[in-house]
Amino acid sequence: MEKIRITAAGFTFVAHTHPDAPQTVAAFKKLLPYRQQLIHVRWSGEGVWVPLGDWSPGLTYENHTSHPSVGDILFYPGGYSETEIIWAYGACSFSSKMGQLAGNHFLTVVEGREHLAAMGKKILWQGAQDVLFEVID
């Protein structure tokens, strides 16, 4: 497992890559360091996401779930809805206007979990916030 530092909405987190999603981890690592904005989910509950539109890394499902736990980060490879990264900060059931979806669980927050709810609420009430994903050497 490798460590990824995530700086989001003024908070810093450390996540481990998930060994059961090696293809997703490899595809994501090619993007690092990755800067984007997090916005609050629309249908999924207590989560934030990075919409990636029509971009397709050529992934299929591995280690996928519709019910991420707090601190789980999923990669949805596209299909019924746009490609995206979704990050649960509370109760979350991954959905879109097309219905329930499943994403590849590829990162798990292991440090900074106590700030997840504050991060999510800040994004909910203050709007899109910057996020940076980078490998920790």
Side-chain angles (χ1 to χ4, degrees):
M1 287 185 286
E2 294 182 72
K3 290 184 179 181
I4 305 293
R5 178 182 302 112
I6 307 167
T7 307
F11 300 95
T12 301
F13 305 92
V14 173
H16 284 168
T17 58
H18 202 294
D20 293 336
Q23 294 174 353
T24 304
V25 169
F28 185 71
K29 283 178 52 183
K30 290 178 184 176
L31 300 174
L32 301 179
Y34 184 66
R35 294 178 187 275
Q36 191 51 269
Q37 288 200 311
L38 289 170
I39 58 177
H40 203 274
V41 297
R42 298 177 201 162
W43 298 279
S44 300
E46 295 177 325
V48 295
W49 68 303
V50 176
L52 299 170
D54 294 333
W55 178 68
S56 176
L59 295 172
T60 58
Y61 288 115
E62 60 177 356
N63 194 42
H64 54 288
T65 184
S66 296
H67 302 285
S69 296
V70 173
D72 289 354
I73 302 175
L74 311 181
F75 184 92
Y76 176 68
Y80 294 107
S81 186
E82 69 183 290
T83 303
E84 67 183 83
I85 296 169
I86 183 170
W87 182 0
Y89 70 84
C92 188
S93 179
F94 184 25
S95 299
S96 77
K97 61 185 175 183
M98 297 297 294
Q100 189 168 356
L101 300 173
N104 299 340
H105 176 194
F106 76 107
L107 291 174
T108 303
V109 173
V110 295
E111 294 178 28
R113 294 173 61 85
E114 68 275 14
H115 302 298
L116 286 168
M119 176 203 65
K121 290 175 184 169
K122 181 176 183 178
I123 294 167
L124 175 64
W125 293 107
Q126 295 180 20
Q129 299 288 316
D130 291 335
V131 63
L132 169 64
F133 295 86
E134 54 191 339
V135 174
I136 297 174
D137 295 324

